[in-house]
Amino acid sequence: MEKSKLYVYDYDEYEENDKGPDTMVADILADPEFPELAELRIGNWGDSWEDGCQPILDGIVANSERFSHIQKLFVGDMDYEECEVSWIVQGNYDGLWAALPQLKELTIKGSTDLTLGNVRHEGLESLTIICGGLPVSVIEAVQKAKLPNLKKLLLYIGSDYYGFDGDKNTIQTLLEQADFPKLEYLGITDSEIQDDLTEVTLASKFMGQIHTLDLSAGTLTDKGGALLLEKIPAYPNIKTLDLHYNYLSDEMIQKLEELPVELDVSEQNEPENYHGDIWMNALLTE
């Protein structure tokens, strides 16, 4: 089993022992277990809502030979009690791609000040960005990425209130121009326009090659459900359809359950009526 470890500073370490993003890489390198790790998980680096993780990223790049064995990296592995996702201050990953040649999986949580840079990596197989709102600048970096062995792409689109400044055309362009010949898992999730994104995803070139379609965690209604009923039977390659956390009706769920796929339609929600206005929320925003 691959060895994984989470590095995190609690409140006392940050407040009383002068720990923070400037000291974390040195502490990681001083850990006798570090050379044996395959997965490096970086949690709260102290005051994650004010201090970004840039010193950590820069430290990894500066010590790239000692980090070169890392195959999985998660930057921002913290829950809402430590720091709300929309508050996490990220950094610039431009230098990281060359620094970690063995990297197969990268997970980034938080999109504030997030810059992917020139995304090029021969071996990366999985890219996940978890956030409350994904900026167009980050989406465009994914769109231009050179990741010939990418198998899984999972993007949390989020809300315009927390950073998403695009629309369905932004995602349509991403899916039209991105070049991921080995993609097997496509996740366009956590959106307040999930029906619209379902439409453009179902029309994308990746539909004929993926085995998992993830449209979960957003405001998917029967409108999007009807599109899935119409389009999914044409793609026998799709074995798994993840729609968990949705706004589907009981009737639509019954119809979707007849599709020849492994289906997750858990966490069914009801729209809220507030003084005549209908409200639906994505799972993760703030």
Side-chain angles (χ1 to χ4, degrees):
M1 184 175 180
E2 295 178 341
K3 192 168 183 180
S4 172
K5 189 168 183 178
L6 172 67
Y7 294 87
V8 59
Y9 292 145
D10 62 25
Y11 181 80
D12 290 338
E13 288 174 314
Y14 172 71
E15 286 290 323
E16 299 174 11
N17 299 328
D18 294 323
K19 296 295 186 178
D22 294 321
T23 63
M24 184 164 279
V25 167
D27 286 345
I28 292 171
L29 292 175
D31 181 1
E33 294 184 358
F34 174 66
E36 304 172 6
L37 300 183
E39 181 177 23
L40 173 61
R41 293 154 48 221
I42 297 173
N44 191 356
W45 44 85
D47 197 354
S48 302
W49 53 91
E50 289 189 359
D51 298 328
C53 64
Q54 195 62 52
I56 300 171
L57 301 177
D58 291 344
I60 292 173
V61 172
N63 295 275
S64 59
E65 290 186 2
R66 298 184 65 183
F67 282 88
S68 62
H69 63 290
I70 294 298
Q71 297 179 30
K72 299 180 181 179
L73 176 63
F74 188 162
V75 182
D77 187 359
M78 60 190 89
D79 62 26
Y80 71 92
E81 292 182 346
E82 295 171 285
C83 187
E84 296 282 5
V85 66
S86 63
W87 298 0
I88 300 172
V89 182
Q90 272 290 335
N92 190 327
Y93 285 71
D94 192 50
L96 198 75
W97 308 107
L100 299 177
Q102 302 302 316
L103 191 65
K104 293 187 180 298
E105 297 184 13
L106 176 62
T107 301
I108 299 169
K109 190 170 186 179
S111 60
T112 299
D113 292 346
L114 174 61
T115 300
L116 294 183
N118 186 16
V119 184
R120 292 177 179 271
H121 199 287
E122 288 296 319
L124 194 74
E125 296 180 357
S126 175
L127 176 61
T128 298
I129 304 177
I130 304 165
C131 65
L134 195 61
V136 168
S137 59
V138 177
I139 295 171
E140 290 178 342
V142 175
Q143 178 180 309
K144 298 173 184 176
K146 304 300 181 183
L147 301 171
N149 285 292
L150 191 72
K151 296 179 180 179
K152 178 179 179 178
L153 177 65
L154 174 55
L155 301 178
Y156 284 55
I157 305 303
S159 163
D160 56 5
Y161 191 78
Y162 291 103
F164 177 57
D165 51 353
D167 55 25
K168 76 172 187 178
N169 294 326
T170 307
I171 304 305
Q172 181 177 357
T173 302
L174 162 69
L175 297 175
E176 286 175 349
Q177 298 191 10
D179 183 17
F180 304 132
K182 294 187 178 180
L183 197 69
E184 298 174 348
Y185 182 120
L186 176 59
I188 303 295
T189 71
D190 192 54
S191 173
E192 294 186 335
I193 54 169
Q194 197 68 48
D195 286 339
D196 289 341
L197 300 194
T198 296
E199 179 183 5
V200 299
T201 301
L202 288 172
S204 78
K205 62 187 176 186
F206 295 112
M207 287 297 295
Q209 70 183 65
I210 59 175
H211 60 60
T212 300
L213 177 60
D214 185 349
L215 298 168
S216 65
T219 59
L220 185 72
T221 71
D222 285 5
K223 178 181 178 182
L227 291 171
L228 289 163
L229 285 175
E230 177 187 353
K231 300 294 185 182
I232 291 297
Y235 298 102
N237 51 289
I238 295 180
K239 307 301 182 184
T240 302
L241 180 59
D242 188 348
L243 307 178
H244 83 269
Y245 189 95
N246 60 73
Y247 287 83
L248 298 167
S249 67
D250 292 339
E251 294 78 11
M252 180 57 69
I253 286 177
Q254 289 178 357
K255 293 177 181 178
L256 289 168
E257 287 175 339
E258 297 177 4
L259 290 172
V261 297
E262 181 180 340
L263 179 69
D264 185 350
V265 285
S266 60
E267 298 182 69
Q268 184 184 11
N269 295 282
E270 291 285 344
E272 295 182 15
N273 190 323
Y274 184 73
H275 297 305
D277 293 326
I278 303 299
W279 292 87
M280 295 183 291
N281 301 301
L283 175 64
L284 185 65
T285 52
E286 183 178 8

